[in-house]
């Protein structure tokens, strides 16, 4: 064999090895596997490359939160007791790989995060899960206030197959939500992957049925805009949006975590009977009304019928009394009286006569950049204390109290 033939064979072998390394991916798929690492670098003042900081992400969260707070600045009655069904489309369209690694995996991951965030902001509310596959809607979990039970069911065996039927999902959910009391706010969040719907009847009747039952339907599309989904949201007062990428999808889902404004028919003041159960003794043995089996220790006793339940908040299976705890009511208070948005302070606004402090009032970290210049900071319009962007986000999204105002109040 000649030297040229050997080189040619070695070159072909090297090319085959390169193909094996890439895993047979197309060119557009390889761009996603590289994760576009060059975008995580920036050029500093000396011309050297350094990793980019995460302040751009914090600023985006800050602006998004500021817009939502300013939009809801007026005193609007909100639905704090929510009954939400999450409808997940598991048709064959959910197996598409435009969201890496697939739409189903991305949906599952962000639904888990949404469930935890939902119960953190709405401790008095309940969630149920419904899936659509093979043209049929299947109830995955019933309405309940336990995030772990929903997440465990969601992480079970989930497969994509068949077509999607929007009408069957609406009929199933409407049948469940019709049994909700009048003080509960009925909502449906549909995560739709398909570009069509295979319905057994007239879907317009199902939409009007949801509208008559005061069910607020919202849809997040993962493929493209659909007229029927847009019409459904317009008729029921929900929100319709289409996710452009995974980060946008996560942002759209978290927008549904805060309680929405109450429907006019439900904005009537009425009294709700609630019970505050006591925790059962550690060694006590009783039959749980939730699981209908004997359990030892951890549990709560209904103050009306003395039945045992496992977790709060819930509704007693024996007497129907709503069971909550006092921290649940306290955590819902900040939605009615949100904290005032902080004013952004730019370095140009600083004057020699009125210099802002160099440290954050919350975390006591420096507000100065490496060049001893004041970076981006915010100030409370009531107490005029300065905070960094990280503390601003933590105060508005988790703490819901201004440390500066609270310190002046106690002093």
């Amino acid at each position: 064999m000649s030297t040229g033939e050997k080189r040619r064979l070695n070159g072909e072998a090297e090319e085959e090895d390169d193909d094996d390394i890439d895993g047979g991916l197309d060119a557009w798929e390889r761009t996603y596997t590289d994760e576009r690492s060059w975008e995580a670098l920036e050029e500093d003042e000396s011309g050297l490359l350094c990793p980019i900081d995460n302040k751009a992400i914090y600023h985006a969260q800050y602006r998004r939160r500021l817009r939502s707070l300013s939009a809801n600045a007026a005193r609007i009655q909100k639905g704090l007791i929510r009954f939400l069904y999450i409808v997940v489309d598991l048709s064959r369209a959910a197996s598409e790989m435009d969201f890496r690694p697939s739409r189903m995996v991305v949906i599952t991951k962000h639904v888990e995060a949404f469930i935890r965030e939902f119960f953190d902001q709405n401790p008095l509310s309940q969630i149920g899960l419904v899936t659509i596959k093979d043209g049929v809607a299947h109830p995955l979990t019933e309405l309940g206030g336990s995030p772990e039970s929903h997440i465990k069911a969601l992480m079970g065996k989930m497969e994509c197959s068949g077509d999607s039927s929007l009408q069957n999902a609406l009929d199933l959910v409407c049948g469940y939500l019709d049994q909700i009391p009048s003080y509960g706010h009925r909502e449906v969040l549909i995560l739709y992957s398909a570009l069509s719907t295979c319905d057994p009847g007239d879907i317009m009747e199902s939409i009007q049925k949801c509208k008559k039952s005061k069910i607020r339907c919202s849809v997040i599309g993962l493929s493209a805009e659909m007229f029927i989904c847009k019409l459904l949201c317009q008729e029921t007062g929900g929100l319709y949006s289409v996710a452009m990428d995974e980060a946008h999808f996560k942002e759209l889902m978290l927008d549904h975590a805060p309680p929405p404004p109450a429907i006019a028919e439900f904005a009537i003041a009425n009294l709700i009977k609630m019970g505050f159960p006591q925790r059962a003794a550690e060694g006590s043995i009783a039959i749980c009304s939730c699981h209908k089996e004997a359990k030892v220790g951890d549990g709560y006793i209904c103050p009306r019928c003395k039945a045992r339940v496992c977790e709060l908040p819930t509704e007693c299976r024996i007497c129907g009394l709503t069971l909550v705890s006092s921290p649940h009511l306290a955590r819902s208070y900040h939605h009615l009286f949100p904290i005032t948005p902080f004013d952004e302070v730019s370095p140009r606004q600083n004057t020699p006569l009125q210099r802002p402090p160099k440290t954050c009032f919350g975390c006591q970290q420096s507000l100065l950049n490496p060049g001893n210049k004041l970076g981006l900071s915010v100030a409370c319009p009531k107490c005029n204390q300065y905070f960094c962007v990280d503390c601003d986000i933590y105060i508005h999204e988790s703490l819901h109290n201004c440390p500066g105002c609270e310190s002046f109040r106690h002093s």
Side-chain angles (χ1 to χ4, degrees):
M1 183 181 295
S2 62
T3 306
E5 292 178 352
K6 291 181 179 179
R7 290 177 179 174
R8 180 172 57 81
L9 292 177
N10 291 335
E12 292 177 354
E14 291 176 358
E15 291 177 0
E16 292 177 357
D17 292 339
D18 294 340
D19 293 339
D20 293 336
I21 293 176
D22 292 335
L25 300 177
D26 296 332
W28 67 272
E29 292 179 312
R30 286 197 295 269
T31 59
Y32 285 95
T33 58
D34 294 337
E35 295 295 337
R36 305 178 71 89
S37 57
W38 60 88
E39 294 184 355
L41 300 175
E42 65 177 356
E43 187 175 353
D44 58 7
E45 298 177 356
S46 60
L48 300 177
L49 294 177
C50 60
I52 193 171
D53 58 357
N54 293 326
K55 287 188 176 181
I57 301 176
Y58 294 151
H59 295 173
Q61 295 176 349
Y62 173 76
R63 289 191 296 268
R64 176 172 58 85
R65 189 196 66 255
L66 193 63
R67 288 195 300 267
S68 63
L69 288 176
S70 60
N72 298 328
R75 293 291 176 85
I76 301 175
Q77 183 172 349
K78 296 184 177 181
L80 298 183
I81 303 179
R82 307 167 62 186
F83 294 88
L84 172 67
Y85 265 101
I86 302 177
V87 180
V88 182
D89 179 12
L90 292 181
S91 61
R92 67 170 66 95
S95 61
E96 294 291 336
M97 299 175 60
D98 49 355
F99 286 76
R100 303 289 294 180
S102 68
R103 293 180 183 176
M104 182 187 68
V105 176
V106 171
I107 290 175
T108 304
K109 179 176 69 173
H110 291 299
V111 167
E112 176 186 0
F114 173 78
I115 291 175
R116 299 186 186 279
E117 180 68 19
F118 179 87
F119 283 113
D120 183 66
Q121 297 196 30
N122 307 272
L124 301 178
S125 303
Q126 297 183 20
I127 278 183
L129 298 178
V130 172
T131 60
I132 313 174
K133 61 165 55 176
D134 298 324
V136 182
H138 304 275
L140 193 61
T141 59
E142 297 180 355
L143 286 172
S146 172
E148 298 302 330
S149 61
H150 296 301
I151 293 173
K152 183 179 179 180
L154 185 67
M155 295 303 174
K157 187 177 181 181
M158 300 184 67
E159 298 177 352
C160 304
S161 62
D163 298 324
S164 179
S165 177
L166 188 61
Q167 183 185 9
N168 287 335
L170 293 178
D171 291 341
L172 178 65
V173 171
C174 188
Y176 288 137
L177 293 179
D178 277 340
Q179 306 172 8
I180 299 301
S182 59
Y183 60 81
H185 294 265
R186 310 165 185 178
E187 301 176 48
V188 179
L189 177 59
I190 303 175
L191 309 178
Y192 208 70
S193 300
L195 280 172
S196 61
T197 172
C198 181
D199 301 325
D202 187 5
I203 191 174
M204 297 299 176
E205 296 180 359
S206 300
I207 294 177
Q208 294 303 319
K209 186 178 179 182
C210 292
K211 183 179 179 180
K212 185 178 179 180
S213 300
K214 304 296 186 298
I215 299 175
R216 186 174 184 264
C217 301
S218 300
V219 181
I220 299 179
L222 281 86
S223 50
E225 182 175 310
M226 290 179 59
F227 171 77
I228 192 63
C229 295
K230 188 174 182 179
L231 178 65
L232 170 65
C233 298
Q234 289 177 350
E235 291 291 328
T236 59
L239 300 176
Y240 180 54
S241 51
V242 178
M244 296 182 294
D245 51 22
E246 183 176 352
H248 188 216
F249 176 71
K250 178 182 178 181
E251 182 179 351
L252 292 176
M253 284 208 64
L254 293 180
D255 287 342
H256 293 273
I263 301 176
E265 287 79 359
F266 291 162
I268 303 173
N270 52 5
L271 298 178
I272 304 173
K273 290 185 178 181
M274 289 187 177
F276 296 87
Q278 296 181 351
R279 183 181 289 272
E282 294 184 358
S284 62
I285 302 176
I287 298 178
C288 173
S289 61
C290 308
H291 302 86
K292 296 180 178 58
E293 59 183 15
K295 290 196 174 183
V296 182
D298 299 331
Y300 301 90
I301 305 300
C302 175
R304 176 187 286 176
C305 64
K306 307 304 179 182
R308 182 193 180 99
V309 295
C310 292
E311 54 199 10
L312 299 178
T314 186
E315 185 175 307
C316 181
R317 300 293 181 91
I318 307 300
C319 63
L321 182 65
T322 302
L323 304 178
V324 298
S325 63
S326 55
H328 291 148
L329 294 178
R331 284 166 54 192
S332 303
Y333 179 79
H334 70 271
H335 291 299
L336 301 178
F337 303 98
I339 232 178
T340 306
F342 291 168
D343 299 328
E344 186 174 348
V345 180
S346 63
R348 298 179 181 179
Q349 298 177 1
N350 303 331
T351 60
L353 298 178
Q354 184 181 3
R355 291 187 177 275
K358 297 181 180 180
T359 58
C360 171
F361 183 81
C363 62
Q364 300 299 316
Q365 297 293 325
S366 175
L367 295 175
L368 301 178
N369 287 331
N372 287 331
K373 296 181 180 180
L374 185 66
L376 180 63
S377 59
V378 294
C380 177
K382 295 183 178 179
C383 63
N384 295 323
Q385 295 292 344
Y386 283 72
F387 299 91
C388 62
V389 178
D390 296 340
C391 287
D392 182 24
I393 294 174
Y394 174 71
I395 289 171
H396 283 86
E397 295 186 354
S398 300
L399 191 61
H400 305 295
N401 286 297
C402 175
C405 298
E406 293 294 328
S407 63
F408 284 122
R409 184 180 304 170
H410 291 294
S411 61

